[in-house]
Amino acid sequence: MEIEGIADLPLHTGHVPPWLIPIMRRLSRAILDIMLIEWGPQKVVERLSNPLWFQAFNNVIGMDWDSSGSTTVTLGILKEVVNPKEDGLAVLGGKGKNALKVPEELHSLNFDIDADKLANISRLVAKVDTTLVQDGHQLYHHSMLVTEKGYWGIIQQGMNEETKFARRYHWKNTENFTVDPHEAIAGKKGIAVNIIEKQKENTRKLVLDLLRQDPRKIINELQQAKAILKGQATIESWINGASFVGISKEAKIIYMRPLDERKIKPILEKLYESNPENLEGALLEGLGPSTARALYLISDLIYREPPSYNDPVNMPYDPFKYAYAIGGKDGIPYPVNRRVAEEVIITLEDIIQKAKLESNEKKFSLNKLRGLSIGIKEGS
């Protein structure tokens, strides 16, 4: 039985109406101003890295409470209203080809950051969620949030073309990319194969060891593994085998996808030559989904070290109550109330203006006191 109110992020058709965009911009900017005054840019990144908080923010500004578009629209709006120079915060990347602009945008920031390191982190995170985690979702959105001091968060989204459901992957300023590295993965639970589970250390080590072996040996073992697959009379008989008890039929579908040795071999040769020190290095050197799936198959059938078949989705959430703030684009729980939205925006902007004035007055008073103190010292 599904929990009422859970946002599964289905694909919604249609667009945000033009009259709603300015409301979303002003609300987002007002909320962002309050967050920056109260917490500072790092805490803003931390909050948006939490799927529950992100979805609540999306609902408050009037976007659909359960739509896959909540990610792309909300991050698109934030990218428009955030001013890196004034806010000490930047929103980079976006949907489709814009996702590939993260390295270029990082280097254009006037922040005290290691742009090359952050660009590699951006690439690495995308590779983890397509290669180390294979859950049937194709990434189409990738946004990096970064502060002027280099604190980062990444929010990316993938779509399952068969189910038409999206999945959002949240990351937050970690040095670990291969062992339960996500802040959370939000969406509808399905089927997956992965090696990021903490308990799969032996599988991770074996995959890395396989990459250091002669590619001809790996191709030979892959052919053996595929022969084992073909030797199974049915998927059901395979599942009932001694080594496969408890593994679902759905999970096995991942292995039944075609694996072309001719395409995998050049990747194996490149990785054999580069001899990566760790999985992160292997991913950055070219390890992709097909080659990784071949290695998982060998690890499972030849060496009896299977990957995990658990779907790593770990964040069901119920943000529906926040949709009552001003309503939602698709009329759920009710159509956006423009009058209420305008009142909320004006109220927030008034609070922000007063807070900024108070802050400036405090700064002025402190500067005056410092000047007075210096004058007293010089006169003494």
Side-chain angles (χ1 to χ4, degrees), residues 97-368:
K97 292 181 179 179
N98 288 325
L100 303 176
K101 296 179 181 179
V102 170
E104 175 189 338
E105 292 175 333
L106 281 166
H107 282 91
S108 69
L109 289 174
N110 191 23
F111 284 177
D112 183 20
I113 57 175
D114 186 338
D116 289 330
K117 178 182 178 181
L118 288 168
N120 275 337
I121 287 172
S122 171
R123 286 181 55 217
L124 186 56
V125 165
K127 295 280 282 183
V128 169
D129 287 337
T130 54
T131 302
L132 301 191
V133 177
Q134 300 196 26
D135 54 17
H137 291 72
Q138 297 298 314
L139 293 183
Y140 68 94
H141 186 104
H142 176 95
S143 289
M144 173 176 261
L145 296 84
V146 61
T147 73
E148 58 192 345
K149 294 183 178 179
Y151 191 92
W152 62 269
I154 288 176
I155 302 169
Q156 52 188 11
Q157 183 158 289
M159 177 65 71
N160 186 312
E161 292 297 330
E162 294 182 6
T163 65
K164 301 300 180 186
F165 277 92
R167 174 167 294 190
R168 192 162 60 228
Y169 310 82
H170 288 252
W171 294 72
K172 184 183 72 177
N173 208 70
T174 181
E175 295 293 330
N176 160 44
F177 296 92
T178 59
V179 185
D180 290 333
H182 299 86
E183 184 72 5
I185 303 177
K188 191 178 183 70
K189 214 166 181 67
I191 62 172
V193 60
N194 77 82
I195 62 169
I196 64 168
E197 271 190 20
K198 187 176 181 180
Q199 297 84 349
K200 290 300 171 181
E201 184 61 26
N202 288 342
T203 307
R204 287 189 290 273
K205 287 180 178 178
L206 179 56
V207 167
L208 193 58
D209 287 343
L210 290 172
L211 289 173
R212 293 166 176 162
Q213 294 183 18
D214 189 325
R216 290 172 294 183
K217 181 176 184 294
I218 302 303
I219 294 298
N220 182 53
E221 290 182 338
L222 175 59
Q223 290 170 345
Q224 292 178 47
K226 290 171 75 173
I228 293 173
L229 288 180
K230 290 180 180 178
Q232 299 294 330
T234 63
I235 293 179
E236 285 76 12
S237 65
W238 178 21
I239 295 168
N240 293 329
S243 299
F244 305 101
V245 174
I247 297 175
S248 68
K249 180 172 79 173
E250 289 79 11
K252 290 303 175 184
I253 293 172
I254 295 168
Y255 279 158
M256 301 304 282
R257 297 173 190 166
L259 287 168
D260 189 341
E261 289 98 310
R262 291 172 299 176
K263 293 181 179 179
I264 293 170
K265 189 177 179 183
I267 303 298
L268 290 171
E269 289 173 345
K270 179 183 176 183
L271 290 166
Y272 179 68
E273 288 295 326
S274 64
N275 190 26
E277 294 183 6
N278 48 42
L279 280 176
E280 291 93 329
L283 289 168
L284 292 173
E285 287 290 337
L287 178 63
S290 294
T291 305
R293 196 165 71 251
L295 296 174
Y296 301 162
L297 182 58
I298 293 168
S299 178
D300 193 343
L301 299 188
I302 305 298
Y303 294 94
R304 294 296 188 264
E305 285 290 352
S308 169
Y309 298 103
N310 296 323
D311 189 341
V313 164
N314 59 1
M315 183 61 77
Y317 43 86
D318 185 7
F320 185 61
K321 62 184 178 180
Y322 296 98
Y324 284 90
I326 64 168
K329 174 178 75 70
D330 283 358
I332 298 174
Y334 54 81
V336 171
N337 188 319
R338 299 193 204 187
R339 182 183 60 79
V340 171
E342 185 70 19
E343 288 177 359
V344 170
I345 291 169
I346 290 171
T347 302
L348 289 175
E349 289 177 344
D350 185 51
I351 292 170
I352 293 158
Q353 192 63 31
K354 288 178 181 177
K356 287 182 175 179
L357 284 172
E358 288 176 6
S359 177
N360 288 335
E361 286 175 2
K362 286 179 181 177
K363 287 179 182 177
F364 177 77
S365 298
L366 286 171
N367 288 334
K368 194 172 180 180

Side-chain angles (χ1 to χ4, degrees), residues 34-55:
I34 292 173
M35 292 165 67
L36 288 169
I37 290 169
E38 290 292 321
W39 301 332
Q42 179 173 320
K43 188 63 73 172
V44 173
V45 172
E46 290 178 0
R47 286 288 189 268
L48 291 170
S49 297
N50 181 301
L52 174 58
W53 203 97
F54 181 93
Q55 193 69 30

Side-chain angles (χ1 to χ4, degrees), residues 21 24-25 28 54 57 61 69-82 91-95 98 141-143:
I21 293 292
M24 287 181 166
R25 288 194 187 113
S28 297
F54 181 93
F57 180 89
I61 66 173
S70 62
T71 307
T72 56
V73 171
T74 300
L75 286 166
I77 292 289
L78 282 172
K79 188 170 184 177
E80 288 182 24
V81 302
V82 167
V91 180
L92 315 174
K95 185 178 179 181
N98 288 325
H141 186 104
H142 176 95
S143 289

